[in-house]
Amino acid sequence: MKVIITGATGMVGEGVLFECLENPVIKEVLIVNRRHYDLQHPKLKELIVNDFTKLGGLENQLSGYDACFYCAGISSVGMNEEKYNHITYETTMAFAQQLVKWNPDMVFNFVSGGHTDSTEKGKIMWARIKGKTENALMKLPFKAQYNFRPGFMKPFKQQKNVKALFKPIIWIFPILLPKLSLTLKQVAQAMINAVKKGYSKQVLEIADIKILAAE
């Protein structure tokens, strides 16, 4: 399996990358980033793209892949709706719309968030926009498209891109609230299994991710 991963310079994308490099099912990983990620591995290739909405001329580099694990994203804290919508909805959709033209047999997995608003009408800004993004992605003609709504995610020990404020609760949260917790290994395993085996739902909550990861 050949996969594209976005967001490897963030915690989720980095964790998904680590599992893909370890997993024997994956033979090639292309990370698409805005800035360089310093890692060498026989499976790994990197493509620097400053603007995900402008992929013209990159067809050769972005074609021939079985899956995209879209882990790029940003917190909505301190951000106005227009900017968050551009990064979360417009950028994601531009990237996905171009990929599906070049890879019609691709499975596209999007990392969303718990409590995402599928109605797009709620009061919480980020939840509405995440919901709008999920809904729009599900309409694209990929081979399959899945939206992952993880809760707390415990990173791999060797990860570099873990925020300092997050580190004190890494070991405590899964013990106190196991039903709301996952490991990034589980998230990545579920993403890989979604490509290999599919799943009965396009929107996967924490319990679904755990089931799919274990298959």
Side-chain angles (χ1 to χ4, degrees), residues 68 70 92-93 96 100 104-112 130-148 191 194-195 198-204:
C68 175
Y70 197 95
T92 303
M93 290 306 301
V100 76
D105 293 325
M106 171 179 277
V107 176
F108 190 96
N109 291 339
F110 173 66
V111 177
S112 185
K130 286 276 193 180
K132 179 171 70 170
T133 307
E134 287 183 354
N135 291 338
L137 287 171
M138 287 189 283
K139 295 176 183 177
L140 294 181
F142 286 107
K143 178 182 177 181
Q145 196 280 315
Y146 301 99
N147 300 290
F148 288 72
M191 286 189 166
V195 182
Y199 195 67
S200 58
K201 304 175 185 177
Q202 282 188 270
V203 176
L204 288 80

Short mmCIF file of all heavy atoms in Angstrom, two decimals, residues 68 70 92-93 96 100 104-112 130-148 191 194-195 198-204:
data_model
loop_
_atom_site.label_atom_id
_atom_site.label_comp_id
_atom_site.label_asym_id
_atom_site.label_seq_id
_atom_site.Cartn_x
_atom_site.Cartn_y
_atom_site.Cartn_z
N CYS A 68 -4.94 8.49 1.30
CA CYS A 68 -4.45 9.72 1.90
C CYS A 68 -4.96 9.77 3.33
O CYS A 68 -6.17 9.62 3.57
CB CYS A 68 -4.92 10.95 1.14
SG CYS A 68 -4.44 12.52 1.94
N TYR A 70 -5.33 12.36 5.94
CA TYR A 70 -5.28 13.82 6.07
C TYR A 70 -5.33 14.19 7.54
O TYR A 70 -6.41 14.24 8.15
CB TYR A 70 -6.43 14.47 5.30
CG TYR A 70 -6.22 15.94 5.04
CD1 TYR A 70 -5.66 16.39 3.86
CD2 TYR A 70 -6.58 16.89 6.00
CE1 TYR A 70 -5.47 17.75 3.63
CE2 TYR A 70 -6.37 18.24 5.79
CZ TYR A 70 -5.82 18.67 4.59
OH TYR A 70 -5.61 20.02 4.37
N THR A 92 -8.67 21.84 2.98
CA THR A 92 -8.87 20.40 2.91
C THR A 92 -9.59 20.00 1.63
O THR A 92 -9.20 19.05 0.94
CB THR A 92 -9.69 19.91 4.12
OG1 THR A 92 -9.01 20.28 5.32
CG2 THR A 92 -9.86 18.40 4.09
N MET A 93 -10.64 20.74 1.30
CA MET A 93 -11.42 20.39 0.12
C MET A 93 -10.62 20.59 -1.17
O MET A 93 -10.71 19.77 -2.09
CB MET A 93 -12.71 21.22 0.08
CG MET A 93 -13.72 20.84 1.16
SD MET A 93 -14.14 19.08 1.18
CE MET A 93 -14.79 18.88 -0.49
N ALA A 96 -8.29 17.62 -1.40
CA ALA A 96 -9.01 16.38 -1.69
C ALA A 96 -9.57 16.37 -3.11
O ALA A 96 -9.52 15.33 -3.80
CB ALA A 96 -10.15 16.19 -0.68
N VAL A 100 -8.53 13.40 -5.83
CA VAL A 100 -9.47 12.44 -6.38
C VAL A 100 -9.43 12.44 -7.90
O VAL A 100 -9.72 11.41 -8.54
CB VAL A 100 -10.91 12.69 -5.85
CG1 VAL A 100 -11.57 13.89 -6.52
CG2 VAL A 100 -11.77 11.44 -6.00
N PRO A 104 -8.46 8.26 -8.54
CA PRO A 104 -9.89 7.94 -8.35
C PRO A 104 -10.12 6.67 -7.52
O PRO A 104 -11.22 6.50 -6.97
CB PRO A 104 -10.41 7.78 -9.78
CG PRO A 104 -9.20 7.49 -10.61
CD PRO A 104 -8.08 8.23 -9.97
N ASP A 105 -9.13 5.81 -7.40
CA ASP A 105 -9.27 4.59 -6.61
C ASP A 105 -8.72 4.74 -5.20
O ASP A 105 -8.49 3.76 -4.49
CB ASP A 105 -8.56 3.42 -7.30
CG ASP A 105 -9.24 3.03 -8.60
OD1 ASP A 105 -10.49 3.14 -8.67
OD2 ASP A 105 -8.54 2.64 -9.56
N MET A 106 -8.53 5.97 -4.76
CA MET A 106 -7.95 6.26 -3.45
C MET A 106 -9.01 6.20 -2.35
O MET A 106 -10.17 6.53 -2.56
CB MET A 106 -7.31 7.66 -3.48
CG MET A 106 -6.86 8.19 -2.13
SD MET A 106 -6.10 9.84 -2.26
CE MET A 106 -4.43 9.38 -2.74
N VAL A 107 -8.56 5.82 -1.14
CA VAL A 107 -9.36 5.96 0.08
C VAL A 107 -8.83 7.19 0.82
O VAL A 107 -7.63 7.30 1.06
CB VAL A 107 -9.24 4.71 0.98
CG1 VAL A 107 -10.00 4.92 2.28
CG2 VAL A 107 -9.78 3.48 0.24
N PHE A 108 -9.72 8.09 1.17
CA PHE A 108 -9.34 9.35 1.81
C PHE A 108 -9.85 9.35 3.24
O PHE A 108 -11.06 9.33 3.48
CB PHE A 108 -9.92 10.54 1.04
CG PHE A 108 -9.39 11.88 1.47
CD1 PHE A 108 -8.34 12.47 0.78
CD2 PHE A 108 -9.95 12.57 2.54
CE1 PHE A 108 -7.84 13.72 1.16
CE2 PHE A 108 -9.46 13.81 2.93
CZ PHE A 108 -8.40 14.38 2.23
N ASN A 109 -8.92 9.38 4.20
CA ASN A 109 -9.26 9.40 5.62
C ASN A 109 -8.96 10.78 6.21
O ASN A 109 -7.83 11.26 6.11
CB ASN A 109 -8.46 8.34 6.38
CG ASN A 109 -8.88 6.93 6.03
OD1 ASN A 109 -9.98 6.70 5.53
ND2 ASN A 109 -8.01 5.96 6.27
N PHE A 110 -9.96 11.37 6.83
CA PHE A 110 -9.85 12.72 7.38
C PHE A 110 -9.92 12.67 8.89
O PHE A 110 -10.85 12.08 9.46
CB PHE A 110 -10.99 13.58 6.82
CG PHE A 110 -11.10 14.96 7.42
CD1 PHE A 110 -10.10 15.90 7.22
CD2 PHE A 110 -12.22 15.32 8.16
CE1 PHE A 110 -10.21 17.17 7.76
CE2 PHE A 110 -12.34 16.60 8.69
CZ PHE A 110 -11.33 17.53 8.49
N VAL A 111 -8.95 13.29 9.56
CA VAL A 111 -8.98 13.38 11.02
C VAL A 111 -9.84 14.57 11.41
O VAL A 111 -9.47 15.72 11.19
CB VAL A 111 -7.58 13.50 11.62
CG1 VAL A 111 -7.66 13.67 13.13
CG2 VAL A 111 -6.74 12.27 11.29
N SER A 112 -10.99 14.29 11.96
CA SER A 112 -11.95 15.31 12.37
C SER A 112 -11.81 15.51 13.87
O SER A 112 -10.70 15.72 14.36
CB SER A 112 -13.36 14.86 11.95
OG SER A 112 -14.31 15.85 12.21
N LYS A 130 -16.01 21.67 11.02
CA LYS A 130 -15.58 20.27 10.87
C LYS A 130 -16.70 19.44 10.25
O LYS A 130 -16.48 18.59 9.38
CB LYS A 130 -15.20 19.69 12.23
CG LYS A 130 -13.88 20.16 12.79
CD LYS A 130 -12.70 19.39 12.26
CE LYS A 130 -11.45 19.67 13.05
NZ LYS A 130 -10.26 18.93 12.56
N GLY A 131 -17.94 19.68 10.70
CA GLY A 131 -19.07 18.96 10.15
C GLY A 131 -19.27 19.24 8.67
O GLY A 131 -19.55 18.34 7.88
N LYS A 132 -19.13 20.51 8.31
CA LYS A 132 -19.25 20.88 6.90
C LYS A 132 -18.19 20.19 6.06
O LYS A 132 -18.45 19.73 4.93
CB LYS A 132 -19.13 22.41 6.77
CG LYS A 132 -19.22 22.91 5.33
CD LYS A 132 -19.31 24.43 5.26
CE LYS A 132 -18.03 25.11 5.64
NZ LYS A 132 -18.05 26.57 5.32
N THR A 133 -16.99 20.10 6.62
CA THR A 133 -15.89 19.45 5.90
C THR A 133 -16.16 17.97 5.72
O THR A 133 -16.00 17.42 4.61
CB THR A 133 -14.56 19.67 6.65
OG1 THR A 133 -14.37 21.06 6.89
CG2 THR A 133 -13.39 19.15 5.84
N GLU A 134 -16.56 17.31 6.79
CA GLU A 134 -16.91 15.89 6.67
C GLU A 134 -17.99 15.67 5.61
O GLU A 134 -17.86 14.78 4.75
CB GLU A 134 -17.45 15.37 8.01
CG GLU A 134 -16.43 15.18 9.10
CD GLU A 134 -17.05 14.60 10.37
OE1 GLU A 134 -18.29 14.44 10.43
OE2 GLU A 134 -16.29 14.31 11.30
N ASN A 135 -19.04 16.45 5.67
CA ASN A 135 -20.17 16.28 4.75
C ASN A 135 -19.74 16.47 3.30
O ASN A 135 -20.18 15.72 2.41
CB ASN A 135 -21.29 17.25 5.09
CG ASN A 135 -21.96 16.92 6.42
OD1 ASN A 135 -21.90 15.79 6.89
ND2 ASN A 135 -22.61 17.91 7.02
N ALA A 136 -18.88 17.45 3.06
CA ALA A 136 -18.43 17.71 1.70
C ALA A 136 -17.49 16.61 1.20
O ALA A 136 -17.56 16.19 0.04
CB ALA A 136 -17.72 19.07 1.64
N LEU A 137 -16.62 16.13 2.08
CA LEU A 137 -15.70 15.05 1.69
C LEU A 137 -16.45 13.78 1.31
O LEU A 137 -16.07 13.07 0.37
CB LEU A 137 -14.73 14.75 2.83
CG LEU A 137 -13.62 15.78 3.07
CD1 LEU A 137 -12.88 15.45 4.37
CD2 LEU A 137 -12.64 15.83 1.91
N MET A 138 -17.53 13.49 2.03
CA MET A 138 -18.29 12.26 1.76
C MET A 138 -18.96 12.28 0.39
O MET A 138 -19.37 11.23 -0.11
CB MET A 138 -19.31 12.02 2.88
CG MET A 138 -18.68 11.57 4.17
SD MET A 138 -19.86 11.02 5.44
CE MET A 138 -20.48 12.58 6.06
N LYS A 139 -19.06 13.45 -0.21
CA LYS A 139 -19.69 13.57 -1.53
C LYS A 139 -18.69 13.39 -2.67
O LYS A 139 -19.10 13.27 -3.84
CB LYS A 139 -20.38 14.94 -1.66
CG LYS A 139 -21.55 15.12 -0.71
CD LYS A 139 -22.11 16.53 -0.81
CE LYS A 139 -23.25 16.75 0.20
NZ LYS A 139 -23.76 18.14 0.14
N LEU A 140 -17.40 13.40 -2.37
CA LEU A 140 -16.39 13.28 -3.42
C LEU A 140 -16.30 11.82 -3.90
O LEU A 140 -16.50 10.90 -3.12
CB LEU A 140 -15.03 13.76 -2.91
CG LEU A 140 -14.92 15.25 -2.58
CD1 LEU A 140 -13.51 15.58 -2.10
CD2 LEU A 140 -15.27 16.11 -3.79
N PRO A 141 -15.98 11.62 -5.18
CA PRO A 141 -16.01 10.26 -5.74
C PRO A 141 -14.75 9.42 -5.48
O PRO A 141 -14.21 8.78 -6.40
CB PRO A 141 -16.20 10.53 -7.24
CG PRO A 141 -15.51 11.83 -7.47
CD PRO A 141 -15.77 12.64 -6.22
N PHE A 142 -14.27 9.43 -4.25
CA PHE A 142 -13.19 8.52 -3.88
C PHE A 142 -13.70 7.08 -3.88
O PHE A 142 -14.91 6.83 -3.81
CB PHE A 142 -12.66 8.86 -2.49
CG PHE A 142 -11.81 10.10 -2.42
CD1 PHE A 142 -12.30 11.26 -1.84
CD2 PHE A 142 -10.51 10.10 -2.92
CE1 PHE A 142 -11.52 12.41 -1.76
CE2 PHE A 142 -9.72 11.24 -2.85
CZ PHE A 142 -10.23 12.39 -2.26
N LYS A 143 -12.79 6.12 -3.91
CA LYS A 143 -13.16 4.72 -3.73
C LYS A 143 -13.90 4.56 -2.40
O LYS A 143 -14.90 3.84 -2.31
CB LYS A 143 -11.92 3.84 -3.76
CG LYS A 143 -12.19 2.37 -3.52
CD LYS A 143 -10.89 1.58 -3.53
CE LYS A 143 -11.14 0.11 -3.23
NZ LYS A 143 -9.86 -0.66 -3.23
N ALA A 144 -13.40 5.24 -1.38
CA ALA A 144 -14.07 5.29 -0.08
C ALA A 144 -13.55 6.51 0.67
O ALA A 144 -12.44 6.98 0.41
CB ALA A 144 -13.80 4.02 0.74
N GLN A 145 -14.36 7.01 1.61
CA GLN A 145 -13.94 8.17 2.40
C GLN A 145 -14.47 8.00 3.81
O GLN A 145 -15.64 7.72 4.04
CB GLN A 145 -14.50 9.47 1.78
CG GLN A 145 -13.84 10.74 2.29
CD GLN A 145 -14.38 11.20 3.65
OE1 GLN A 145 -15.58 11.21 3.86
NE2 GLN A 145 -13.49 11.59 4.55
N TYR A 146 -13.53 8.17 4.80
CA TYR A 146 -13.88 7.99 6.21
C TYR A 146 -13.43 9.20 7.02
O TYR A 146 -12.38 9.80 6.74
CB TYR A 146 -13.21 6.73 6.76
CG TYR A 146 -13.60 5.47 6.03
CD1 TYR A 146 -12.78 4.93 5.05
CD2 TYR A 146 -14.81 4.83 6.32
CE1 TYR A 146 -13.14 3.77 4.36
CE2 TYR A 146 -15.19 3.68 5.64
CZ TYR A 146 -14.35 3.15 4.66
OH TYR A 146 -14.72 2.02 3.97
N ASN A 147 -14.24 9.52 8.04
CA ASN A 147 -13.94 10.64 8.92
C ASN A 147 -13.74 10.11 10.34
O ASN A 147 -14.64 9.48 10.91
CB ASN A 147 -15.09 11.65 8.89
CG ASN A 147 -15.31 12.18 7.49
OD1 ASN A 147 -14.49 12.94 6.98
ND2 ASN A 147 -16.40 11.78 6.85
N PHE A 148 -12.57 10.37 10.88
CA PHE A 148 -12.19 9.84 12.19
C PHE A 148 -12.37 10.92 13.25
O PHE A 148 -11.81 12.01 13.13
CB PHE A 148 -10.74 9.36 12.16
CG PHE A 148 -10.55 8.10 11.36
CD1 PHE A 148 -10.63 8.10 9.97
CD2 PHE A 148 -10.30 6.90 12.00
CE1 PHE A 148 -10.47 6.93 9.25
CE2 PHE A 148 -10.14 5.72 11.29
CZ PHE A 148 -10.22 5.74 9.90
N MET A 191 -6.94 3.54 10.49
CA MET A 191 -6.87 4.16 9.16
C MET A 191 -6.38 3.17 8.12
O MET A 191 -6.93 3.09 7.01
CB MET A 191 -5.94 5.37 9.21
CG MET A 191 -6.53 6.58 9.89
SD MET A 191 -5.45 8.01 9.64
CE MET A 191 -6.55 9.32 10.15
N ALA A 194 -9.06 0.64 7.44
CA ALA A 194 -10.15 1.20 6.63
C ALA A 194 -9.84 1.06 5.14
O ALA A 194 -10.75 0.83 4.33
CB ALA A 194 -10.38 2.66 6.99
N VAL A 195 -8.58 1.20 4.80
CA VAL A 195 -8.17 1.06 3.39
C VAL A 195 -8.20 -0.41 2.99
O VAL A 195 -8.68 -0.77 1.91
CB VAL A 195 -6.76 1.64 3.17
CG1 VAL A 195 -6.38 1.53 1.70
CG2 VAL A 195 -6.70 3.09 3.63
N GLY A 198 -12.23 -1.71 4.70
CA GLY A 198 -13.43 -0.90 4.73
C GLY A 198 -14.07 -0.90 6.10
O GLY A 198 -13.59 -1.56 7.04
N TYR A 199 -15.16 -0.15 6.24
CA TYR A 199 -15.91 -0.11 7.50
C TYR A 199 -17.35 0.24 7.18
O TYR A 199 -17.65 0.84 6.14
CB TYR A 199 -15.29 0.91 8.46
CG TYR A 199 -15.78 0.75 9.88
CD1 TYR A 199 -15.46 -0.37 10.63
CD2 TYR A 199 -16.58 1.73 10.49
CE1 TYR A 199 -15.92 -0.53 11.94
CE2 TYR A 199 -17.04 1.58 11.79
CZ TYR A 199 -16.70 0.44 12.51
OH TYR A 199 -17.16 0.28 13.80
N SER A 200 -18.23 -0.14 8.09
CA SER A 200 -19.67 0.02 7.84
C SER A 200 -20.15 1.46 7.96
O SER A 200 -21.25 1.78 7.53
CB SER A 200 -20.47 -0.85 8.81
OG SER A 200 -20.16 -0.51 10.16
N LYS A 201 -19.35 2.34 8.58
CA LYS A 201 -19.73 3.74 8.75
C LYS A 201 -18.66 4.64 8.13
O LYS A 201 -17.48 4.31 8.16
CB LYS A 201 -19.85 4.08 10.24
CG LYS A 201 -20.82 3.23 11.03
CD LYS A 201 -20.76 3.60 12.51
CE LYS A 201 -21.61 2.69 13.38
NZ LYS A 201 -21.47 3.03 14.82
N GLN A 202 -19.09 5.79 7.65
CA GLN A 202 -18.13 6.77 7.14
C GLN A 202 -17.63 7.71 8.23
O GLN A 202 -16.58 8.33 8.08
CB GLN A 202 -18.74 7.58 5.99
CG GLN A 202 -18.77 6.84 4.67
CD GLN A 202 -19.21 7.72 3.52
OE1 GLN A 202 -20.41 7.81 3.23
NE2 GLN A 202 -18.28 8.40 2.89
N VAL A 203 -18.40 7.85 9.28
CA VAL A 203 -18.00 8.68 10.42
C VAL A 203 -17.71 7.74 11.59
O VAL A 203 -18.59 7.01 12.05
CB VAL A 203 -19.09 9.69 10.81
CG1 VAL A 203 -18.70 10.46 12.05
CG2 VAL A 203 -19.35 10.66 9.65
N LEU A 204 -16.46 7.75 12.05
CA LEU A 204 -16.03 6.82 13.08
C LEU A 204 -15.78 7.56 14.39
O LEU A 204 -14.92 8.43 14.48
CB LEU A 204 -14.74 6.10 12.66
CG LEU A 204 -14.88 5.04 11.56
CD1 LEU A 204 -14.94 5.69 10.18
CD2 LEU A 204 -13.73 4.06 11.62
#
